[in-house]
């Protein structure tokens, strides 16, 4: 005998619990849109949104200052950093859009919700870092090696002052992002928060590269130092874009929950007295605080169909209580021998 539980119709996805009429002790917990809010997701989103807004404000001001200073000094390193800040500002706009759009409730076209919107916008942010930041920095470095722009001492003094101020601002934004990461955690790998941390960390390193290049150029008179700084900034941005894009791709394709959480879910199922064996466990992240759990389990023999349904309802409720991120829990209950289900 095989009985599948938690198989939904379109109406079930909009708030009707298919297990309610069968005696569920959790009739008010449908597996639809409400479950997608996660555990404290809105509060976490509020902190993430504030972190992104702080980073956006800092990057906009810094981008203008770097651009003005770079034009005055005709500094390729400073202009590379200006392009870096512009790219970061655009990416923060993408991240704000992802925070808003990913919290839309599930509907008939998207029964599992819109949590993966965050990964899509994080992928766009990675592309923005690569194109607007990395490629422009490489261009500036190559142009400096080919042409060697003429600069004035006063212009470079302005540029160095701008970079020092930018270092303080970027450092403050990074401290804010790291503070949230430590205090609230990064449940499910929030791509918006991780992108801000990566951008701010890269910005601090980029400013240090630009400062070193400008100072060495000023001291030695050799433009190769500043060109090298631009190339180093470009390489750094390309690497960060690659890492962020790779992570976003993995999550868009469908990434399982972390191994520790999967082991805890399996242990919770194994601890249920009616379950003889957990033959298979499949999980997938639907968002930073949203997960789908599907398990094929063997129940103890001698349970009639009505009892099986009630047991399945109780097991799903236990899993949700233990793991609030489990927006959807599917159980495939079988009586097949464990050896045949490996």
């Amino acid at each position: 005998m095989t009985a599948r539980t938690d198989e939904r119709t379109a109406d079930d996805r909009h708030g009707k619990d298919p297990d309610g009429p069968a005696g569920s002790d959790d009739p008010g917990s449908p597996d639809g849109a409400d479950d997608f809010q996660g555990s404290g997701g809105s509060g976490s989103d509020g902190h993430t949104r504030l972190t992104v807004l702080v980073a956006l404000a800092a990057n906009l001001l810094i981008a203008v200052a770097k651009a003005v200073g770079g034009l005055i000094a005709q500094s390729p390193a400073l202009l590379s950093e200006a392009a870096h800040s512009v790219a970061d500002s655009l990416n923060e706009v993408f991240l704000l859009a992802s925070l808003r759009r990913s919290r839309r409730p599930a509907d008939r076209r998207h029964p599992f919700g819109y949590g993966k919107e965050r990964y899509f916008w994080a992928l766009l942010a990675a592309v923005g870092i690569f194109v607007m930041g990395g490629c422009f920095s490489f261009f500036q470095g190559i142009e400096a090696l080919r042409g060697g722009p003429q600069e004035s001492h006063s212009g470079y003094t302005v540029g160095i002052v701008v970079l020092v101020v930018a270092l303080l601002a970027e450092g403050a934004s990074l401290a804010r992002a790291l503070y949230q990461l430590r205090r609230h955690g990064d449940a499910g790998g929030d791509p918006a928060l991780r992108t801000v941390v990566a951008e701010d960390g890269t910005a601090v390193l980029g400013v240090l590269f630009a400062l070193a290049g400008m100072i060495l150029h000023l001291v030695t008179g050799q433009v190769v130092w500043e060109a090298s700084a631009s190339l180093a900034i470009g390489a750094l941005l390309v690497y960060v874009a690659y890492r962020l894009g790779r992570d976003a791709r993995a999550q868009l394709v469908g990434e399982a929950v972390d191994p520790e959480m999967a082991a805890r879910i399996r242990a919770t199922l194994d601890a249920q007295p009616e379950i003889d064996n957990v033959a298979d466990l499949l999980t997938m992240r639907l968002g930073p605080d949203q997960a789908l759990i599907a398990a094929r389990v063997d129940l103890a023999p001698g349970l009639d169909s009505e009892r099986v349904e009630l047991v399945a309802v109780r097991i799903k409720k236990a899993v949700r209580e233990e793991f609030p991120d489990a927006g959807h829990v599917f159980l495939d209950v079988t009586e097949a021998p464990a050896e045949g289900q490996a």
Side-chain angles (χ1 to χ4, degrees):
M1 176 189 74
T2 301
R4 292 186 182 273
T5 66
D6 214 342
E7 298 290 349
R8 293 168 178 74
T9 65
D11 288 338
D12 297 329
R13 298 184 186 111
H14 291 277
K16 297 180 181 180
D17 194 339
D19 302 315
S24 169
D25 54 355
D26 187 27
S29 297
D31 293 330
D34 292 343
D35 290 331
F36 273 92
Q37 301 310 313
S39 60
S42 298
S44 176
D45 276 2
H47 292 292
T48 300
R49 186 175 292 105
L50 179 59
T51 298
V52 175
L53 287 172
V54 169
L56 176 60
N59 281 317
L60 285 174
L61 293 175
I62 292 169
V64 173
K66 287 177 180 177
V68 173
L71 291 173
I72 292 175
Q74 288 295 295
S75 164
L78 193 50
L79 289 174
S80 296
E81 272 300 293
H84 181 183
S85 295
V86 171
D88 286 351
S89 300
L90 181 61
N91 292 339
E92 260 95 57
V93 174
F94 287 161
L95 298 179
L96 289 173
S98 77
L99 291 175
R100 180 179 60 84
R101 295 177 64 85
S102 66
R103 282 295 165 185
R104 289 182 294 171
D107 52 38
R108 291 182 184 275
R109 288 178 59 85
H110 298 86
F112 292 104
Y114 291 82
K116 288 195 175 186
E117 282 263 14
R118 296 210 186 184
Y119 307 135
F120 169 74
W121 291 98
L123 181 61
L124 288 186
V127 173
I129 292 174
F130 176 82
V131 175
M132 298 181 61
C135 293
F136 185 80
S137 296
F138 280 128
F139 172 77
Q140 285 294 319
I142 293 171
E143 283 295 302
L145 288 175
R146 292 175 56 189
Q150 301 296 319
E151 73 283 340
S152 65
H153 187 277
S154 60
Y156 262 51
T157 302
V158 171
I160 291 174
V161 171
V162 167
L163 286 176
V164 171
V165 174
L167 182 62
L168 296 175
E170 299 284 12
S173 180
L174 177 61
R176 161 71 198 184
L178 292 175
Y179 171 76
Q180 183 187 343
L181 197 65
R182 288 195 303 268
R183 182 175 180 181
H184 302 284
D186 190 17
D190 187 342
L193 181 57
R194 288 189 305 168
T195 301
V196 171
V197 171
E199 285 181 351
D200 288 344
T202 305
V204 170
L205 286 176
V207 170
L208 292 175
F209 286 159
L211 268 174
M214 290 183 70
I215 291 173
L216 288 172
H217 184 189
L218 198 59
V219 171
T220 64
Q222 300 295 319
V223 74
V224 66
W225 291 108
E226 200 167 349
S228 299
S230 292
L231 295 174
I233 292 169
L236 178 65
L237 292 175
V238 168
Y239 173 73
V240 170
Y242 163 74
R243 290 293 302 269
L244 291 174
R246 185 187 66 177
D247 292 345
R249 172 185 173 274
Q251 292 159 332
L252 280 171
V253 170
E255 191 173 48
V257 301
D258 63 83
E260 180 183 355
M261 181 177 177
R264 289 170 52 211
I265 293 171
R266 182 178 287 272
T268 298
L269 293 172
D270 282 331
Q272 305 304 313
E274 296 87 356
I275 294 181
D276 274 352
N277 176 59
V278 179
D280 200 7
L281 177 64
L282 302 175
T283 64
M284 184 172 65
R285 276 285 170 195
L286 302 175
D289 55 359
Q290 306 163 12
L292 180 149
I293 299 172
R296 190 164 72 244
V297 299
D298 297 332
L299 294 185
L303 297 175
D304 57 34
S305 59
E306 183 177 353
R307 179 62 178 163
V308 167
E309 187 174 358
L310 294 175
V311 166
V313 170
R314 186 188 61 75
I315 291 173
K316 288 187 291 181
K317 181 180 178 181
V319 171
R320 289 195 191 95
E321 288 177 348
E322 182 70 19
F323 306 98
D325 285 1
H328 289 268
V329 180
F330 295 84
L331 294 180
D332 182 5
V333 180
T334 75
E335 290 184 350
E339 294 79 11
Q341 300 184 26

